[in-house]
Amino acid sequence: MSCFIFQKYCQGASSTAIFGEFVCNKLKDPIQQNVYKKTARDLADEMRTNCESLNGNRSNLEKHILRTLAEKQDFNAYMIYIKNPKEHFKNFIRGEVSQYITERFEDSVRPKIENSIKLLEQQITEAAHESAKQANADLWLHHFTRQLSGVLVFSVNDLTGVNQDDVEVSFLEDVIKKELPSIITDIISKFSTETFPVKLEHKDRPDEILIDHFCQCCWVQCPFCASICTNTIKNHDGDHSVPFHRNNGLNGWFYRGTTNLAINICTSAVASNQSFYPNSSDDVKVPWKEYRKGGPKYASWSITPDLSELPYWKWFVCRFQTDLENHYEKTYQRRGKIPDEWRKYSQEEAIESLNKYI
């Protein structure tokens, strides 16, 4: 081989190696984003199968939320659930996802990313092989990026900025195969319970995927007891409704002219001959039987007169009587005296009533 030919060969080999290494380095972020995003989706799907609280509908999720609240007996958490249920649901889902990732990281989460990244590595090397037939580096780049457009978010513009002179496209496949494993190893080595969520766009996080799944529904609350409408469609047609209403006092309702928190439950109240004041600022009262006349927020609810009551909320009022009284600066006395029979329910019976009725 003449000196000139040998010199050109060395230049070609060096340029090809530099060019291939440059391409691999540019692919690192798109590879990481792709793999993290796919892992998040797969993890969300897995949790909807394997996680007891997330493997059903919103009613099932709410049952687990109420059970957890009863087990922890945290009054402040209860008040977030009562006053801002959507926020509480979101926080609960985030907690479930965080716990699942921590507990199942090595046996479930890490294998997912490793399987995804191996598949992607294969797709990249196949794209390099298919592009080897191109006449020059510029055409190689266009063909290479087009081959991967369905799996990676990047374009030719992301792979410009390196000298393409003397690049031997027939050798680029070998360079890619040689350089790519170190990129892959680096991505896997930095994958952890800490980096996984923060490397994802907010909407692509597994908890946000699940929040989107469970929380795109109706969140209108009963104007009396704050129970959440159970309709799974946001802005749905027809009335709002719930299978079980609660004690009105836990939402702050009290008897006019007293400091006594109300103990009536919506479904029994609408069967009574009593009245309520829809606006605290005036003296206009409305019979419970005609509650829809109280205004738009009352008229949009369907409250059936019956005696259906969930023991859970009777236990709650008794367990947190003092907390509720302090919170609302009212008392469960006189007209609002808690019935003795409510005090017979234990924590275990309250939780069991969730399993029985929900």
Side-chain angles (χ1 to χ4, degrees):
M1 185 183 295
S2 68
C3 290
F4 175 76
I5 295 174
F6 181 74
Q7 183 180 15
K8 292 295 291 181
Y9 173 81
C10 290
Q11 288 175 351
S14 176
S15 296
T16 304
I18 292 171
F19 184 82
E21 185 177 352
F22 172 81
V23 169
C24 285
N25 285 327
K26 284 291 185 178
L27 286 174
K28 183 176 180 180
D29 284 342
I31 290 172
Q32 182 172 265
Q33 283 300 311
N34 172 282
V35 172
Y36 276 41
K37 190 173 179 178
K38 185 177 186 305
T39 301
R41 288 196 302 267
D42 290 346
L43 189 61
D45 289 341
E46 179 178 291
M47 290 190 68
R48 286 179 59 190
T49 300
N50 295 344
C51 190
E52 188 180 0
S53 62
L54 303 172
N55 67 359
N57 55 22
R58 190 183 71 167
S59 292
N60 176 69
L61 174 57
E62 185 168 21
K63 179 175 72 174
H64 282 83
I65 286 175
L66 291 174
R67 184 175 71 186
T68 301
L69 283 169
E71 290 170 347
K72 293 184 177 180
Q73 301 191 53
D74 182 339
F75 179 74
N76 291 329
Y78 262 113
M79 293 313 295
I80 294 173
Y81 165 79
I82 291 169
K83 298 298 185 180
N84 194 349
K86 188 175 183 179
E87 189 61 31
H88 188 88
F89 270 69
K90 288 181 177 181
N91 290 336
F92 184 84
I93 291 171
R94 291 187 183 111
E96 292 287 90
V97 172
S98 177
Q99 181 179 343
Y100 191 89
I101 290 175
T102 300
E103 293 178 351
R104 302 292 303 277
F105 189 77
E106 292 302 329
D107 68 332
S108 180
V109 185
R110 185 179 290 280
K112 280 183 174 55
I113 192 173
E114 291 177 350
N115 290 336
S116 295
I117 211 165
K118 286 176 183 176
L119 176 61
L120 197 52
E121 183 178 10
Q122 181 182 343
Q123 291 172 312
I124 292 171
T125 53
E126 286 177 356
H129 175 75
E130 291 293 324
S131 304
K133 302 169 187 175
Q134 304 305 308
N136 56 51
D138 184 57
L139 291 174
W140 184 95
L141 270 181
H142 280 82
H143 191 272
F144 180 72
T145 54
R146 193 162 56 247
Q147 290 285 307
L148 294 172
S149 61
V151 292
L152 291 179
V153 181
F154 79 112
S155 67
V156 172
N157 294 332
D158 298 315
L159 298 174
T160 56
V162 65
N163 186 10
Q164 299 178 12
D165 297 338
D166 300 318
V167 173
E168 296 288 342
V169 294
S170 58
F171 295 123
L172 276 175
E173 179 184 355
D174 293 331
V175 177
I176 297 293
K177 284 182 177 179
K178 177 177 178 294
E179 297 294 335
L180 197 56
S182 62
I183 301 293
I184 300 299
T185 300
D186 186 54
I187 292 173
I188 292 177
S189 68
K190 292 178 180 177
F191 182 65
S192 68
T193 54
E194 288 76 28
T195 62
F196 179 45
V198 298
K199 291 290 184 180
L200 285 163
E201 289 187 31
H202 186 73
K203 65 181 177 62
D204 295 326
R205 291 167 53 115
D207 50 1
E208 294 304 319
I209 293 173
L210 289 165
I211 286 171
D212 186 63
H213 171 72
F214 282 106
C215 296
Q216 294 299 321
C217 51
C218 185
W219 288 100
V220 175
Q221 294 177 262
C222 173
F224 298 109
C225 71
S227 292
I228 315 158
C229 174
T230 51
N231 199 297
T232 57
I233 300 174
K234 188 178 181 180
N235 300 321
H236 60 86
D237 294 329
D239 293 331
H240 303 296
S241 64
V242 294
F244 292 99
H245 284 265
R246 310 167 187 164
N247 161 276
N248 296 168
L250 62 83
N251 193 32
W253 279 75
F254 62 97
Y255 298 106
R256 177 67 70 98
T258 77
T259 57
N260 305 148
L261 288 167
I263 59 166
N264 54 345
I265 295 172
C266 305
T267 46
S268 55
V270 296
S272 72
N273 294 318
Q274 298 177 345
S275 299
F276 71 96
Y277 294 87
N279 297 302
S280 59
S281 59
D282 61 43
D283 294 326
V284 178
K285 62 181 180 179
V286 175
W288 270 95
K289 288 180 178 179
E290 300 174 5
Y291 69 90
R292 289 178 184 269
K293 294 181 179 179
K297 67 179 180 179
Y298 300 97
S300 63
W301 274 84
S302 174
I303 305 175
T304 306
D306 60 43
L307 299 177
S308 60
E309 299 173 357
L310 193 64
Y312 182 93
W313 291 111
K314 294 180 178 179
W315 167 82
F316 168 79
V317 170
C318 296
R319 167 61 182 83
F320 294 100
Q321 176 181 347
T322 301
D323 297 285
L324 287 166
E325 290 176 337
N326 291 336
H327 182 81
Y328 291 115
E329 297 182 342
K330 303 284 190 298
T331 61
Y332 280 108
Q333 293 178 350
R334 299 180 182 85
R335 289 184 65 186
K337 183 178 182 298
I338 297 172
D340 291 338
E341 63 144 33
W342 288 21
R343 300 191 184 278
K344 70 182 181 181
Y345 293 108
S346 65
Q347 177 192 30
E348 292 74 18
E349 288 172 322
I351 293 173
E352 183 53 38
S353 72
L354 297 173
N355 297 326
K356 183 177 180 180
Y357 295 111
I358 298 181

Short mmCIF file of all heavy atoms in Angstrom, two decimals, residues 254 256 277-284:
data_model
loop_
_atom_site.label_atom_id
_atom_site.label_comp_id
_atom_site.label_asym_id
_atom_site.label_seq_id
_atom_site.Cartn_x
_atom_site.Cartn_y
_atom_site.Cartn_z
N PHE A 254 -74.57 23.11 60.37
CA PHE A 254 -75.04 23.16 61.76
C PHE A 254 -76.47 23.69 61.79
O PHE A 254 -76.98 24.22 60.79
CB PHE A 254 -74.12 24.03 62.62
CG PHE A 254 -74.06 25.47 62.18
CD1 PHE A 254 -74.85 26.44 62.80
CD2 PHE A 254 -73.21 25.87 61.16
CE1 PHE A 254 -74.80 27.77 62.41
CE2 PHE A 254 -73.16 27.20 60.75
CZ PHE A 254 -73.95 28.15 61.37
N ARG A 256 -79.38 26.11 62.48
CA ARG A 256 -79.49 27.58 62.53
C ARG A 256 -79.85 28.06 63.93
O ARG A 256 -80.71 27.50 64.61
CB ARG A 256 -80.56 28.04 61.52
CG ARG A 256 -80.85 29.54 61.50
CD ARG A 256 -79.64 30.35 60.98
NE ARG A 256 -79.42 30.14 59.56
CZ ARG A 256 -79.85 30.97 58.60
NH1 ARG A 256 -80.54 32.05 58.93
NH2 ARG A 256 -79.58 30.73 57.34
N TYR A 277 -81.49 25.84 55.33
CA TYR A 277 -81.25 27.16 54.78
C TYR A 277 -80.15 27.05 53.72
O TYR A 277 -78.98 26.84 54.05
CB TYR A 277 -80.80 28.12 55.89
CG TYR A 277 -81.86 28.40 56.93
CD1 TYR A 277 -82.02 27.56 58.03
CD2 TYR A 277 -82.72 29.48 56.79
CE1 TYR A 277 -83.00 27.80 58.99
CE2 TYR A 277 -83.71 29.74 57.75
CZ TYR A 277 -83.84 28.89 58.84
OH TYR A 277 -84.81 29.13 59.78
N PRO A 278 -80.51 27.17 52.44
CA PRO A 278 -79.50 27.02 51.38
C PRO A 278 -78.43 28.10 51.38
O PRO A 278 -77.32 27.88 50.89
CB PRO A 278 -80.34 27.06 50.10
CG PRO A 278 -81.62 27.72 50.46
CD PRO A 278 -81.86 27.40 51.89
N ASN A 279 -78.77 29.28 51.92
CA ASN A 279 -77.78 30.37 51.99
C ASN A 279 -77.66 30.85 53.44
O ASN A 279 -78.66 31.24 54.04
CB ASN A 279 -78.22 31.54 51.10
CG ASN A 279 -78.29 31.15 49.64
OD1 ASN A 279 -77.31 30.70 49.08
ND2 ASN A 279 -79.46 31.31 49.04
N SER A 280 -76.46 30.80 53.95
CA SER A 280 -76.25 31.19 55.35
C SER A 280 -76.50 32.67 55.59
O SER A 280 -76.70 33.10 56.72
CB SER A 280 -74.82 30.85 55.77
OG SER A 280 -73.88 31.53 54.93
N SER A 281 -76.53 33.46 54.50
CA SER A 281 -76.66 34.91 54.65
C SER A 281 -78.10 35.40 54.69
O SER A 281 -78.35 36.58 54.93
CB SER A 281 -75.92 35.61 53.51
OG SER A 281 -76.46 35.22 52.25
N ASP A 282 -79.08 34.51 54.43
CA ASP A 282 -80.47 34.96 54.48
C ASP A 282 -81.32 33.95 55.27
O ASP A 282 -80.85 32.90 55.68
CB ASP A 282 -81.05 35.20 53.09
CG ASP A 282 -81.06 33.95 52.22
OD1 ASP A 282 -81.40 32.87 52.74
OD2 ASP A 282 -80.70 34.04 51.03
N ASP A 283 -82.58 34.28 55.45
CA ASP A 283 -83.47 33.47 56.28
C ASP A 283 -84.45 32.63 55.46
O ASP A 283 -85.44 32.12 56.00
CB ASP A 283 -84.26 34.37 57.24
CG ASP A 283 -83.35 35.04 58.27
OD1 ASP A 283 -82.36 34.40 58.67
OD2 ASP A 283 -83.62 36.19 58.65
N VAL A 284 -84.19 32.50 54.19
CA VAL A 284 -85.07 31.70 53.33
C VAL A 284 -84.75 30.23 53.54
O VAL A 284 -83.61 29.80 53.36
CB VAL A 284 -84.89 32.07 51.85
CG1 VAL A 284 -85.77 31.17 50.98
CG2 VAL A 284 -85.22 33.54 51.62
#
